[in-house]
Amino acid sequence: MGSNLSIEKRNNVLLSMAKLVEDRQEDILEANLKDMKGFDQQDLAMYDRLKVDQDKIQSMVLSLKQLAAQQDPLGIERFHFTHDNGLEIYNRTASFGTVMIIYESRPDVTIEAGGIAFKSGNRILLKGGKESLNSNVALVSLWHRALEENEVNREWVSYLNFNRERTREYLKNPDQKIDLIIPRGGENLIAFVKEHATCPVIVSGRGNNFVYVASDADQKKALQIIVNAKTDKISACNALDKVLIDRNLPDYEAFIRNLVSELKELHVRVLATSGMNDFSGVEITEDESIWYEEFLDFKIVLSDIHSMDEAIAMINTYGGGHSASIITEDSNKAGEFLNNVDAAAVYHNASTRFTDGFQFGLGGELAISTDKLHQRGPIGLQHLVTNKWYIYGNGQIR
């Protein structure tokens, strides 16, 4: 199998795949139904991630078409230097080689993340969870058809149907060179991969996202943003978990009552710190460990604070390094918050639900990294590359 595929080949495979997903959507839905019937619906977040419907299929198709339309991320010149001795030295983007994606529950990762890795010139090893086996096998079979239709070796996309023990051994002693591993799932999966992998790992991190309602916040905006960020999709890592409300907010008590009322109407369990024990509908908690949790559930924590500095300190102490938002009409205050909060995505007067490769104009995402190397936040096509130095000489020696 050759080490490189032309951009034309890669794009044609993606377009073939888009057509196959659209044409064979009934087969995909049927396979997903088998997975859904065997899954415990008590885990709301996992259940939501597992489900494939018409909207998700259309998102898969759109992602593949958009990827095919994007510029080739390989061979882009990043640096050029002419040495005093005449050497021409270039640095250009290059593929990693083989990328392994380990993920839980989400069959759309088989398409979206797989498509980004493939367009970036990488061979792909997919290791999905047992709960989504039927869906993943159906989608990988379409990958193989798309590759074969374009006379490309089907080994460019492989599915590893391994149990936990075999996965552990494979991470420690793979039967081929793996250049990068990306785990997509909960903290247990991420810890498992980091413990056993023998190659670089990009952590597609947890959420535990915060909103700070500043003393001058537009309260209508604040209510809409908080409710959207919490309830729009609880299974998403960009969903909201914690809200910090400035005690100096005008009509502070009325705002809290309105917020709690709206959240309760949407069946959100509202926890709060002791400073809010006068408000009905909230459960008071003194458990500090809850501040570190990502909920992925209809649950939220509210706290009263006294300054933006306090808000920044709390977010940097407890947050997951994913997303944080400030609600304020003061652009200088917003700038200070955005610059000092340690998170991959920071917002001014907007919902954290936008931390997403598709929403950020990347045409999808391979992962949302909360690490700082080598890319932070949504990892799109442009970011799933390493680099390579090219030096052209004419007999120079040192």
Side-chain angles (χ1 to χ4, degrees):
M1 185 167 63
S3 60
N4 293 301
L5 287 178
S6 70
I7 186 61
E8 290 78 18
K9 281 279 190 185
R10 281 177 273 147
N11 286 340
N12 286 339
V13 169
L14 291 169
L15 291 173
S16 293
M17 187 61 180
K19 185 174 188 305
L20 284 166
V21 170
E22 198 159 34
D23 290 348
R24 304 298 295 271
Q25 57 186 287
E26 292 304 321
D27 294 342
I28 299 168
L29 293 171
E30 184 178 338
N32 182 249
L33 185 60
K34 293 179 184 176
D35 291 328
M36 298 294 287
K37 286 180 177 178
F39 190 74
D40 179 8
Q41 297 186 30
Q42 295 302 311
D43 189 335
L44 294 176
M46 286 280 279
Y47 185 81
D48 185 53
R49 289 172 171 170
L50 178 61
K51 185 178 180 180
V52 175
D53 55 19
Q54 296 285 351
D55 287 341
K56 279 193 179 179
I57 286 177
Q58 289 309 308
S59 293
M60 293 178 192
V61 172
L62 181 60
S63 175
L64 290 162
K65 289 180 177 178
Q66 288 185 339
L67 281 171
Q70 289 193 40
Q71 178 185 359
D72 187 356
L74 303 180
I76 296 173
E77 185 178 305
R78 288 180 165 178
F79 178 80
H80 175 212
F81 171 66
T82 302
H83 197 282
D84 291 342
N85 64 15
L87 282 177
E88 296 292 343
I89 301 170
Y90 297 84
N91 184 263
R92 298 174 185 144
T93 57
S95 64
F96 277 91
T98 299
V99 174
M100 183 176 184
I101 307 168
I102 304 182
Y103 52 111
E104 295 172 325
S105 191
R106 290 184 51 179
D108 48 327
V109 168
T110 308
I111 299 298
E112 188 175 320
I116 290 171
F118 181 77
K119 172 87 175 202
S120 302
N122 300 287
R123 295 180 187 83
I124 308 152
L125 302 177
L126 297 165
K127 167 62 186 80
K130 62 182 180 181
E131 70 283 345
S132 53
L133 178 63
N134 293 292
S135 305
N136 290 332
V137 168
L139 291 169
V140 171
S141 71
L142 298 183
W143 269 119
H144 289 163
R145 282 191 58 182
L147 291 164
E148 290 169 349
E149 284 179 5
N150 292 279
E151 300 180 338
V152 177
N153 194 314
R154 61 191 286 167
E155 290 182 13
W156 277 86
V157 179
S158 299
Y159 191 77
L160 308 178
N161 185 14
F162 295 168
N163 61 21
R164 184 179 178 85
E165 182 178 343
R166 191 175 177 194
T167 301
R168 181 190 298 112
E169 289 305 311
Y170 192 83
L171 290 172
K172 292 180 177 178
N173 301 293
D175 61 6
Q176 61 180 295
K177 184 177 184 290
I178 300 174
D179 299 283
L180 182 68
I181 298 179
I182 301 173
R184 295 280 302 264
E187 293 178 69
N188 290 338
L189 173 66
I190 292 167
F192 174 80
V193 173
K194 291 184 76 172
E195 179 183 356
H196 300 294
T198 54
C199 72
V201 175
I202 292 179
V203 173
S204 184
R206 56 196 288 274
N208 194 24
N209 305 310
F210 280 68
V211 163
Y212 166 51
V213 182
S215 59
D216 68 318
D218 180 313
Q219 296 185 26
K220 182 178 179 181
K221 287 180 187 175
L223 284 170
Q224 291 175 337
I225 288 168
I226 292 167
V227 170
N228 172 263
K230 176 69 263 180
T231 66
D232 179 60
K233 187 174 183 181
I234 61 159
S235 65
C237 61
N238 55 26
L240 176 63
D241 293 302
K242 313 295 185 324
V243 181
L244 308 176
I245 305 163
D246 201 300
R247 289 286 310 202
N248 298 308
L249 182 74
D251 300 319
Y252 166 82
E253 294 183 356
F255 175 79
I256 300 291
R257 286 194 294 270
N258 290 337
L259 175 60
V260 171
S261 176
E262 290 201 28
L263 290 170
K264 298 293 281 186
E265 281 186 20
L266 294 166
H267 310 292
V268 177
R269 181 185 173 196
V270 182
L271 290 85
T273 53
S274 58
M276 294 188 173
N277 55 13
D278 291 334
F279 295 99
S280 63
V282 303
E283 302 173 42
I284 301 301
T285 178
E286 297 294 341
D287 181 6
E288 185 186 12
S289 67
I290 204 168
W291 285 95
Y292 293 101
E293 290 184 33
E294 177 190 33
F295 296 141
L296 300 176
D297 199 351
F298 286 98
K299 183 164 71 171
I300 198 168
V301 176
L302 312 182
S303 180
D304 61 321
I305 58 170
H306 296 87
S307 69
M308 183 171 71
D309 288 343
E310 185 182 352
I312 292 170
M314 287 188 68
I315 295 168
N316 290 345
T317 298
Y318 300 113
H322 191 295
S323 300
S325 181
I326 181 173
I327 316 301
T328 179
E329 296 303 297
D330 184 332
S331 59
N332 291 327
K333 187 182 291 185
E336 183 179 347
F337 179 92
L338 302 184
N339 288 330
N340 287 287
V341 164
D342 187 13
V346 287
Y347 291 80
H348 177 203
N349 287 346
S351 169
T352 58
R353 283 283 292 120
F354 288 100
T355 307
D356 172 272
F358 188 80
Q359 295 293 329
F360 281 7
L362 301 178
E365 71 197 19
L366 183 74
I368 297 179
S369 173
T370 51
D371 283 346
K372 296 182 181 179
L373 290 175
H374 74 292
Q375 173 68 24
R376 201 176 189 192
I379 297 177
L381 181 65
Q382 306 88 334
H383 312 122
L384 192 66
V385 290
T386 182
N387 64 89
K388 189 173 180 179
W389 291 92
Y390 293 78
I391 303 93
Y392 300 91
N394 187 27
Q396 289 90 338
I397 60 173
R398 182 177 178 183

